[in-house]
Amino acid sequence: MDRITLDLTNATSDAIGPDHGISSEELAGLRDAALKAQAAVEARRGADLRWMDLPYAHEVHDEVLDYASSVAGRFKNVVVLGIGGSALGNTALHAALSSPFHDLAPPAGWPRLFVLDNVDPDLVGEWLDHFDPAETLFNVISKSGGTAETMSQFLLFRERLVEVLGEEGHREHLVVTTDAEKGILREIVQREGYQSFVVPDGVGGRFSVLSPVGLLSSALVGIDIKGVLAGAASMDEHCKQASFEENPALNYACLQWLMQEKKAKNVAVTFSYSHRLRALADWYAQLLAESIGKRTSRSGDDVHKGPTPVRAVGVTDQHSQVQLYVEGPFDKWFTLLSVTQPDHAVPLPSAYPDLEGAEYLAGRDLGELFTAEREGTKVALTEAGRPNVSIVFPRVDARSVGQYLMMMELAVAVMGELYDVDAFDQPGVEAGKIAAYALMGRAGYETRRGEIEGAGPTERKTI
Ligand code: PA5
């Protein structure tokens, strides 16, 4: 099978017992609710949930590829200026589908890719110390077009470009991805005449990886975006047609709900047994946290829902977190990302035939050790009664990564129905943005600034 699959054996009560595992009756008991949830999500396809259409927006894909070829060979660096949903997918695709060492030694003619998703002056300042904006294409990404972090970075880098290249010359170094009409960035695009792409309506930040938000930077570094989109479309088609029992997105959504609501597992660990897939766990952490972490239900009652996502990388975190996972509180469930076929064979030599502690590795492949470590962790988790499922990638390629992105977006949309929360808003994020605008003295936010300054304890407690 060339599709990623979901193996939920080790989350069942057969494998780990009824206290922590899900019985077939519990899963079957959720079948009707899951199908109803899926139908509710499907009913919004083509209406307000436009992220579902992204794999099929072939004209947009061609525009992205045309622009990427028009600037091919022109820049040494591509820098994404964006944050949250306007950055995590870019990093995830680059980490998964470019070489892990792409940015240290880019293939001839291809640029490096930096995703500067922070305004820490020690990050941005270091970038400026090491790289030349005049050799760089900046992709400014903001759905709202006003996020303070992204706007500040844009202002900074624009100024540097204008200093060196002038008002006219700087423009070809900027390409903006934002709303078609709303927001300050769109207004700036119109004034400056920058090249731009659109984040379509109905595509929230964390659901935007398959729009120009995630596709443009990927195309610029040579990632097979058509392969990613084909993978996403194939998963979408499969999930539309499959029965409940054969539907990985629906089953994953049900598992998440059952694990938290029935088995008290508040923590959802994505454990990537693939170095290249590790940033998919970061992308998913935002998708899950921002979509399901909500104060109110859809009818407005205070419910304070939401799992806490945690990310781990195998084998690295076996030597850091697995002790806790195997023996600590029973508050977690685990999703291992595993890869069947690595791209590289790395055989191990024999050096000390008389030393059994080294010789048992001789003639084996590093991939065998990696697999043994992953399976060993599964055994340890399972024997300790810790529910763990595996999302199995036949290999790490554009198609399988596209399938994963779509599967998780569909699963989280269904989770929203099961948890009865709005999976597509983010009032907590907006509250933080508003507080930052107020504290930075942005006009229109004076009242909020007064509220913040007048709130809290009068005496500080600092030790
Ligand atoms: O998913 C979301 O909506 C957020 O994480 C946003 O992506 C993030 O706040 C950045 O917003 P914007 O793209 O509007 O600059």
Side-chain angles (χ1 to χ4, degrees):
M1 178 178 315
D2 81 333
R3 181 168 58 73
I4 63 170
T5 52
L6 173 65
D7 177 355
L8 40 91
T9 314
N10 295 340
T12 63
S13 53
D14 281 353
I16 56 172
D19 288 349
H20 303 293
I22 308 288
S23 67
S24 11
E25 293 75 30
E26 282 172 310
L27 198 54
L30 209 52
R31 186 178 186 278
D32 288 351
L35 290 171
K36 197 171 154 213
Q38 182 188 26
V41 172
E42 280 298 329
R44 297 167 68 182
R45 187 188 285 270
D48 63 326
L49 300 188
R50 304 309 294 259
W51 54 268
M52 299 175 88
D53 305 331
L54 294 174
Y56 311 101
H58 301 296
E59 266 182 41
V60 176
H61 311 156
D62 290 340
E63 280 168 30
V64 166
L65 286 169
D66 287 349
Y67 173 76
S69 13
S70 76
V71 297
R74 171 79 188 76
F75 299 101
K76 281 196 179 163
N77 313 302
V78 171
V79 171
V80 166
L81 305 179
I83 196 161
S86 294
L88 284 159
N90 306 69
T91 301
L93 287 171
H94 187 44
L97 298 174
S98 304
S99 157
F101 303 107
H102 176 104
D103 297 320
L104 285 177
W110 290 97
R112 307 178 190 96
L113 174 61
F114 302 100
V115 179
L116 294 188
D117 60 349
N118 205 333
V119 286
D120 182 340
D122 286 340
L123 172 72
V124 177
E126 281 289 326
W127 191 92
L128 282 166
D129 286 349
H130 286 88
F131 301 100
D132 182 357
E135 295 177 340
T136 304
L137 176 66
F138 294 90
N139 181 199
V140 190
I141 310 177
S142 176
K143 158 97 179 148
S144 62
T147 302
E149 293 89 336
T150 308
M151 186 54 64
S152 62
Q153 291 179 329
F154 162 68
L155 294 173
L156 171 76
F157 287 111
R158 179 193 173 279
E159 178 71 7
R160 296 295 174 113
L161 289 169
V162 171
E163 276 167 14
V164 182
L165 302 164
E167 280 294 342
E168 192 51 44
H170 90 280
R171 293 200 173 93
E172 67 166 321
H173 290 252
L174 278 155
V175 51
V176 176
T177 308
T178 190
D179 189 87
E181 288 165 13
K182 294 191 287 280
I184 300 156
L185 260 183
R186 181 52 67 187
E187 157 111 33
I188 291 171
V189 165
Q190 275 149 8
R191 280 196 203 177
E192 297 275 11
Y194 294 140
Q195 174 75 43
S196 71
F197 289 87
V198 168
V199 191
D201 276 345
V203 179
R206 57 193 176 275
F207 288 86
S208 67
V209 58
L210 300 174
S211 79
V213 169
L215 297 179
L216 180 58
S217 63
S218 302
L220 288 164
V221 292
I223 289 171
D224 171 16
I225 64 166
K226 290 263 185 186
V228 173
L229 293 156
S234 73
M235 178 56 74
D236 186 39
E237 294 301 333
H238 175 71
C239 291
K240 263 194 283 189
Q241 287 156 20
S243 65
F244 172 74
E245 289 71 21
E246 297 293 320
N247 189 322
L250 271 195
N251 274 268
Y252 195 80
C254 290
L255 281 169
Q256 172 54 62
W257 187 85
L258 287 166
M259 285 296 170
Q260 184 165 33
E261 300 294 303
K262 300 292 176 198
K263 306 288 171 186
K265 317 281 179 227
N266 288 326
V267 180
V269 180
T270 301
F271 205 148
S272 174
Y273 268 86
S274 160
H275 191 77
R276 291 166 60 188
L277 297 181
R278 71 197 185 287
L280 286 181
D282 294 326
W283 170 84
Y284 178 65
Q286 184 210 20
L287 184 70
L288 182 67
E290 282 193 1
S291 301
I292 309 301
K294 296 290 153 68
R295 178 167 70 83
T296 60
S297 69
R298 287 178 295 183
S299 52
D301 298 329
D302 274 359
V303 289
H304 298 287
K305 291 288 178 189
T308 299
V310 166
R311 299 91 95 183
V313 179
V315 300
T316 312
D317 288 319
Q318 281 178 220
H319 301 268
S320 137
Q321 296 169 29
V322 163
Q323 171 61 32
L324 169 75
Y325 294 167
V326 172
E327 294 194 347
F330 285 88
D331 59 352
K332 305 172 193 68
W333 76 291
F334 301 87
T335 300
L336 278 73
L337 306 184
S338 77
V339 179
T340 306
Q341 183 60 56
D343 286 347
H344 297 83
V346 184
L348 298 171
S350 168
Y352 304 103
D354 55 325
L355 297 180
E356 171 50 23
E359 187 57 12
Y360 79 100
L361 294 168
R364 313 295 293 272
D365 193 273
L366 216 45
E368 283 183 78
L369 176 60
F370 195 52
T371 302
E373 301 268 2
R374 183 189 71 219
E375 294 306 305
T377 298
K378 280 163 66 173
V379 168
L381 288 170
T382 306
E383 285 181 354
R386 315 296 165 139
N388 61 94
V389 302
S390 294
I391 297 179
V392 182
F393 289 63
R395 55 194 319 144
V396 178
D397 59 17
R399 198 175 164 82
S400 64
V401 169
Q403 289 174 353
Y404 173 83
L405 297 171
M406 198 69 197
M407 171 180 153
M408 301 317 262
E409 289 184 352
L410 292 167
V412 167
V414 168
M415 281 176 211
E417 300 288 319
L418 297 177
Y419 277 89
D420 188 24
V421 295
D422 184 344
F424 304 105
D425 67 359
Q426 55 283 325
V429 181
E430 306 305 339
K433 287 188 183 183
I434 288 168
Y437 295 150
L439 291 171
M440 288 298 287
R442 185 171 169 185
Y445 295 84
E446 297 79 1
T447 312
R448 184 69 190 119
R449 182 177 182 143
E451 286 166 2
I452 294 168
E453 287 177 348
T458 44
E459 273 182 41
R460 307 246 30 111
K461 187 148 179 61
T462 308
I463 295 169

